[in-house]
């Protein structure tokens, strides 16, 4: 395959040369730039630039010389931190300078957190004692085992012009085509993220979806990546190389995925990393083996705080097709291994970590139903639309990426229209400790009730589909807010903006739990009134299987009537008696003008504004009457003058 091109966006490579005094740093730099050995070398060279056509990648190189004097340590550290790559030098005729690499220089780079490729260079090769001939591999193998950041090692002679251009070629190559993200030197295998990216590229190039690249598909791939077709004899040669080493790498239809991956491992082993990097970059990957930011339309996510992001019907239909494809036995149960397979062309499974892990209902067999699968996607789109869109692209979404998502209408406009058009609602679940919040969350996901109490330390999410009358389906996201996290949440002005509805859970057998729940309700309602992000609220009386505390009905009736919201809804997670709570939550969220609590302060504020508005109206009416009266007087005066 052909040579690589300049990686997009890389306008230059900065290489810092460091090492003990007298190891040949300055001579190395001058000889590389001037192609002649200098007779008089200054102690410290100014920055030296190699032109862009010096190496095939056509990226200019700036080489920085450094001083190893103790008084210049600060400047040295500053330059090392700005480096794209570091060349560490030792003198072949001074073994102690080689030892200093592992006792000082490499640990120093780690201490400074310089995480760039390192090229170790043995200078003054012409001065080595012929009696002490040891192979470079024998010398460097123990050091490279200890310091994995070393990309390569090379010995050179500026005086005799031995391997001088190669030093900076390898340094540039380590920056533009790094080994680390692609290949595990210890196991001599492609790294998982590299395998996933190449698998996605293979699938995109396998247009007839038969699991192999035909000669025509292989040629199209070559033209796309390297702007040059393969001759028929070259295609035969490529397949023969693979088949000789790996029988399953080629079948009657063409090059298999196994063979495609083997080819890239072969390129890397032979030092041709630029070939694999060119392929990855042609398909939009950056140095982290993730899609470049410019492929994700971030401008599509601009929205007001009280707007949310949802998947479009087009994206949902695509995901249904993906589910059917990977649910091979069609049992509406996508097993964990099948979920992993769905994301096998993404850098990793995004649902392996919080908040997505365990956020959806599992089947009896531990998998995901179609509703649960779509719920996970809805949650990811709500919380992190960029990541959701990115993963849609990774798993093969065929349409324009902006057609996969939509921005919902502002909630304040929903309130005016007295109806929400959203398909995904986010409900904040508040309540004191041991009130039954987690039990409510677990029951929403079909999990069994647990008698033992385990406090929730961090926010938790639960997402599921709620079926409404008429077969309409909405997705509900429950976000549990621990009691000690409420004040932090409400410290932000826009904290309630993403909330479609708030639920306040209390233990119906515990009066102190009720009092704390009403305090939280007042805090949230007050915050909503102060910021303009009022939210509908429901109160949930949990543990209805226990006896209520005295005066429970009177207290709850008084509070709900005073604040203008529905009376507490009794539920028992233990008895699985939920009183249609999830439908009622969705129904309240669908009608955002209802169930909004009103505090005494909020009521007084409203009355004050009504009074001001009424006063202004009276003033304006009075002014209008005065103007009309004045106009009438002028007409009367004009007529009187005319008659005179």
């Amino acid at each position: 395959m052909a040579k690589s091109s300049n990686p997009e966006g890389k306008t230059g490579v900065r290489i810092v040369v460091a090492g003990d005094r007298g190891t040949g740093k300055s001579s190395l730099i001058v000889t590389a730039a001037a192609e002649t050995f200098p007779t008089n070398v200054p102690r410290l060279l100014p920055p030296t630039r190699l032109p862009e056509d010096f190496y095939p990648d056509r990226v200019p190189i700036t080489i920085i010389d450094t001083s190893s004097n103790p008084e210049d340590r600060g400047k040295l550290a500053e330059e090392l931190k700005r480096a794209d790559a570091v060349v560490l030098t030792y003198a072949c005729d001074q073994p102690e300078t080689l030892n200093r690499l592992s006792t000082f220089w490499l640990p120093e780079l780690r201490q400074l957190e310089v995480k760039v490729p390192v090229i170790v260079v043995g200078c003054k090769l012409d001065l080595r004692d012929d009696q002490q001939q040891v192979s470079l591999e024998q010398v460097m193998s123990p050091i490279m085992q200890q310091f994995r950041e070393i990309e390569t090692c090379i010995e050179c002679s500026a005086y005799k012009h031995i391997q001088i251009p190669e030093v900076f070629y390898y340094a540039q190559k380590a920056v533009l085509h790094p080994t680390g993200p692609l290949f595990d030197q210890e196991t001599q295998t492609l790294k998982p993220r590299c395998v996933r990216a190449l698998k996605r590229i293979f699938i995109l190039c396998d247009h007839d979806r038969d699991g192999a690249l035909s000669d025509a598909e292989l040629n199209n791939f070559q033209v796309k990546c390297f702007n040059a077709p393969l001759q028929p004899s070259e295609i035969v040669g490529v397949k023969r190389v693979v088949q000789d080493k790996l029988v399953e790498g080629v079948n009657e239809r063409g090059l298999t995925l196994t063979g495609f991956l083997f080819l890239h491992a072969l390129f890397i082993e032979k030092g041709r990393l630029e070939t694999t990097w060119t392929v990855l970059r042609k398909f939009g990957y950056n140095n982290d083996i993730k899609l470049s930011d410019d492929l994700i339309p971030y401008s599509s996510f601009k929205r007001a705080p009280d707007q949310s992001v949802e998947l479009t019907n087009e994206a949902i239909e695509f995901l249904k097709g993906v589910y059917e494809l990977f649910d091979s036995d069609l049992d509406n149960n996508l097993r964990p291994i099948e979920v992993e397979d769905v994301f096998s062309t993404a850098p990793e499974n995004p649902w392996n970590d919080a908040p997505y892990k365990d956020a959806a209902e599992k089947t009896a067999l531990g998998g995901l139903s179609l509703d649960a699968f779509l719920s996970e996607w809805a949650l990811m789109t709500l919380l992190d639309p960029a990541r959701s869109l990115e993963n849609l692209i990774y798993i093969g979404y065929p349409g324009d990426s902006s057609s996969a998502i939509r921005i919902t209408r502002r909630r304040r406009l929903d309130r005016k229209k007295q109806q929400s058009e959203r398909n995904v609602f986010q409900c904040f679940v508040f309540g004191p400790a041991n009130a039954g919040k987690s039990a409510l969350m677990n029951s929403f996901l079909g999990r069994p009730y647990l008698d033992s109490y385990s406090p929730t330390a961090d926010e938790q999410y639960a997402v599921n589909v709620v079926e409404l009358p008429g077969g309409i389906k909405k997705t509900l996201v429950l976000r549990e807010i621990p009691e000690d996290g409420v004040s932090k949440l409400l410290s932000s002005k826009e904290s309630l903006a993403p909330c479609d509805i708030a639920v306040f859970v209390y233990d119906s057998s515990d009066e102190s739990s009720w009092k704390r729940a009403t305090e939280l309700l007042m805090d949230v309602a007050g915050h909503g009134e102060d910021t303009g992000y009022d939210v509908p609220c429901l109160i949930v009386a949990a543990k209805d299987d226990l006896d209520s505390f005295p005066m429970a009905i009177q207290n709850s009736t008084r509070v709900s009537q005073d604040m203008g919201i529905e009376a507490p809804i009794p539920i028992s997670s233990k008895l699985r008696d939920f009183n249609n709570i999830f439908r009622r939550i969705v129904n309240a969220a669908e009608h955002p003008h209802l169930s909004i609590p009103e505090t005494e302060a909020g009521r007084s504020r409203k009355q004050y504004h009504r009074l001001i508005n009424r006063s202004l109206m009276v003033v304006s009416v009075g002014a209008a009457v005065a103007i009309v009266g004045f106009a009438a007087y002028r007409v009367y005066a004009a007529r009187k003058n005319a008659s005179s």
Side-chain angles (χ1 to χ4, degrees), residues 233-246 250:
S233 59
E234 291 177 307
I235 293 175
V236 170
V238 166
K239 291 196 290 189
R240 185 181 297 123
V241 166
V242 174
Q243 204 160 25
D244 286 349
K245 298 279 187 180
L246 203 69
V250 177

Side-chain angles (χ1 to χ4, degrees), residues 549-561:
F549 64 86
M551 299 291 290
I553 295 175
Q554 293 90 323
N555 287 351
S556 61
T557 302
R558 176 179 54 78
V559 169
S560 55
Q561 285 180 347

Side-chain angles (χ1 to χ4, degrees), residues 570-583:
I571 68 165
S572 170
S573 297
K574 186 174 185 177
L575 300 179
R576 304 199 65 75
D577 179 6
F578 299 112
N579 207 355
N580 276 330
I581 184 62
F582 305 117
R583 275 191 182 180

Side-chain angles (χ1 to χ4, degrees), residues 1-2 215 218-219 222-223 228-242 255 263 267 272:
M1 296 189 186
D215 290 0
L218 202 54
N219 193 52
Q222 172 75 11
V223 170
L230 284 170
Q231 297 302 316
S233 59
E234 291 177 307
I235 293 175
V236 170
V238 166
K239 291 196 290 189
R240 185 181 297 123
V241 166
V242 174
L255 186 72
L263 262 183
F267 292 142
R272 292 177 56 191

Side-chain angles (χ1 to χ4, degrees), residues 557-612:
T557 302
R558 176 179 54 78
V559 169
S560 55
Q561 285 180 347
D562 283 352
M563 300 192 78
I565 59 174
E566 191 178 341
I569 303 165
I571 68 165
S572 170
S573 297
K574 186 174 185 177
L575 300 179
R576 304 199 65 75
D577 179 6
F578 299 112
N579 207 355
N580 276 330
I581 184 62
F582 305 117
R583 275 191 182 180
R584 291 167 84 161
I585 290 172
V586 171
N587 188 58
E590 281 191 308
H591 303 90
H593 62 298
L594 304 174
S595 307
I596 295 178
E598 198 171 39
T599 65
E600 193 62 45
R603 196 175 293 114
S604 299
R605 194 182 297 131
K606 272 188 181 176
Q607 287 174 346
Y608 173 74
H609 286 305
R610 283 197 202 101
L611 188 64
I612 292 294

Side-chain angles (χ1 to χ4, degrees), residues 427-467:
C427 170
F428 286 15
V429 180
F430 296 96
N434 202 18
K437 300 188 297 297
S438 297
L440 178 70
M441 303 274 285
N442 286 332
S443 63
F444 186 47
L445 301 180
R447 293 174 185 160
Y449 175 79
L450 299 174
D451 277 313
S452 57
Y453 170 63
S454 177
T456 303
D458 302 309
E459 290 187 356
Q460 302 287 333
Y461 286 86
V463 58
N464 213 337
V465 169
V466 176
E467 190 164 338

Side-chain angles (χ1 to χ4, degrees), residues 352-405:
N352 279 343
D353 303 309
Y356 311 108
K357 188 178 183 181
D358 300 325
E361 183 174 9
K362 296 289 197 312
T363 65
L365 299 172
L368 296 176
S369 67
L370 175 60
D371 279 349
F373 179 73
L374 295 176
S375 294
E376 284 275 32
W377 277 101
L379 177 62
M380 187 160 61
T381 307
L382 180 77
L383 301 183
D384 193 347
R387 193 177 190 194
S388 182
L389 189 53
E390 189 180 349
N391 277 282
L392 276 172
I393 296 169
Y394 282 132
I395 68 170
Y397 182 70
D400 177 44
S401 51
S402 59
S403 70
I405 57 163

